[in-house]
Amino acid sequence: MSYETAVASMFALGHELANTPSHKFDLEHMRVLLREMNHPERKFPSVLIAGTNGKGSTAATLASILRASGLKTALYTSPHLVRINERIRVNEKEIGDDEFAALHGEIDRIAGHLVEEGELPWHPSFFEMMTAIAFAHLARERVDVAVLEVGMGGRLDATNVVEPVVSVITDVSLDHQKYLGNTVGEIAREKVGIIRRGGVVVTLPQQPEANDVIGNTILDLDAIGVSAVQYVPPVSPGSGDYLVPRGEMAFTTEGIEEHRVESHLYRYPLQVMGTEILVETPLVGRHQLRNVALAIAAADELNKKRFAGITPESIERGIRKTRWPGRFQVIPSRAGSPELILDVAHNPAGAWALRSALSEHFDDRPLVFVFGAMRDKAISEMTEILFPLATRVIATRPENPRAASAEEIREAASRTGTEVETIANVKTALETALAGAAGEAVVVVTGSIYLVGEAMRLLELRI
């Protein structure tokens, strides 16, 4: 089977959340599949990270720290921005096309056999297949440690078949209510499903409902709760002092310098493992200070469990080298094109984080939004948070069956009082926004990871 055929076969399974009956989510089915594959998930130690917002950033930062510590490190995340291979990486290298196709073929045959024998009621879903491919690849690569981002929820997520060395729970808020519950407490009960009896769980204080659920679960399971509070710098109006220029970066075409721009990072001193380090994170936004703290605390716990090479110096180096595209990613203006921000804010909490970052860094600049979202998201709330900041809003529809139409977004935004233009095609919407952004205007592409990914493909941006 070719790589193209394998990818097409995966997408033919349909999106996990599109018209999927709730009984589709069943960990026993995943265990049956992995048993037939000789349990690849047992062949490497792992860190499992769940949460509503920040779990990807936390995973990327932790993986970078572990790589800087000399450990052969896997990173499994979802969804992808441009190519499906992005989801599975070992030491930053994506799974190869041939390896992906070969593993897909193997696992697809195993799944077909299990269905024929009645051991599985139906073919594994897209995410179950993706997770099985990841586990098989990581086992073959003999990684020292795998950082695994939960896809959705936690308790019934396909990743939750591993026995994590450390569990991490990031900020919990409302999202995927149809599947996880209608309150923060109900959603938190799904997230805490990744905590193991007697295991270690790293987290931070957050909404009271979530705190209660996490704290009670830690007590009920005799788990060891680790707070990352000591690694969060004081967050106040003065936290803007942490934002400093990274230095000038040159952008060239065919060797000819076009433009120079100052990029920024957060910089602050921190006591880690008895040593003062200088944290320099390229992940911008106050919310990222919490995600970095979680990653540091998780790395410290792995150090206590004798994972070699994790030192204050490697933590400092790993944070500095973290790359996580599409998260308040600033694309500098050049060749007459305006400055562009890509951010995958896809729920109200993410929208608030984006609004805070925009206010902190672009408070005096006109903002042009290109916005697209999935139909099952809290679109009305997101537009109420973001659209008042904009001088112009263009609603569009990413290429995804779950995506809301541009007209549905305009209707959902009616209470904002903002005039919303509708352009169904993302390419045209992006071109219109870029062409119409005059002077100091900044174009902000947000609302869905699928929109950001499509924009990156159209702009031919590298991951």
Side-chain angles (χ1 to χ4, degrees), residues 87-99:
R87 297 170 180 243
I88 306 170
R89 307 181 193 188
V90 176
N91 281 354
E92 289 196 297
K93 183 180 178 182
E94 296 174 4
I95 185 172
D97 292 357
D98 291 343
E99 175 77 354

Side-chain angles (χ1 to χ4, degrees), residues 163-218:
E163 289 301 321
V165 179
V166 174
S167 299
V168 181
I169 298 179
T170 67
D171 290 343
V172 178
S173 60
L174 293 176
D175 199 10
H176 295 306
Q177 289 98 309
K178 179 179 176 182
Y179 304 92
L180 303 180
N182 293 314
T183 67
V184 169
E186 289 175 349
I187 293 173
R189 276 189 280 277
E190 295 297 319
K191 308 295 184 185
V192 297
I194 70 167
I195 301 175
R196 299 295 186 264
R197 181 168 295 280
V200 174
V201 55
V202 174
T203 191
L204 277 168
Q206 46 186 294
Q207 296 189 54
E209 281 186 84
N211 287 339
D212 288 346
V213 172
I214 295 168
N216 287 331
T217 302
I218 289 171

Side-chain angles (χ1 to χ4, degrees), residues 56-172:
S57 298
T58 302
T61 304
L62 177 59
S64 185
I65 290 171
L66 299 178
R67 286 194 304 273
S69 303
L71 295 164
K72 188 174 185 180
T73 305
L75 177 62
Y76 178 54
T77 57
S78 62
H80 59 275
L81 282 166
V82 178
R83 298 183 80 234
I84 200 170
N85 306 50
E86 295 166 32
R87 297 170 180 243
I88 306 170
R89 307 181 193 188
V90 176
N91 281 354
E92 289 196 297
K93 183 180 178 182
E94 296 174 4
I95 185 172
D97 292 357
D98 291 343
E99 175 77 354
F100 184 92
L103 285 173
H104 173 272
E106 285 179 31
I107 296 167
D108 192 54
R109 285 191 293 273
I110 290 171
H113 171 74
L114 291 170
V115 172
E116 286 177 9
E117 296 297 315
E119 295 190 55
L120 283 179
W122 42 65
H123 192 283
S125 67
F126 175 94
F127 192 71
E128 288 167 340
M129 285 290 292
M130 197 74 226
T131 304
I133 292 170
F135 288 166
H137 180 63
L138 306 191
R140 289 185 180 184
E141 287 288 314
R142 299 185 179 184
V143 299
D144 295 322
V145 61
V147 180
L148 310 174
E149 178 193 2
V150 167
M152 184 183 75
R155 182 176 61 92
L156 296 177
D157 190 80
T159 58
N160 200 30
V161 294
V162 301
E163 289 301 321
V165 179
V166 174
S167 299
V168 181
I169 298 179
T170 67
D171 290 343
V172 178

Side-chain angles (χ1 to χ4, degrees), residues 68 203 215 260 271 326 333 352 381 403 420 432 444 462:
T203 191
R260 297 185 73 87
Q271 284 288 326
S333 59
W352 277 118
E381 289 88 336
V420 178
T432 302
V444 182
R462 295 176 59 189

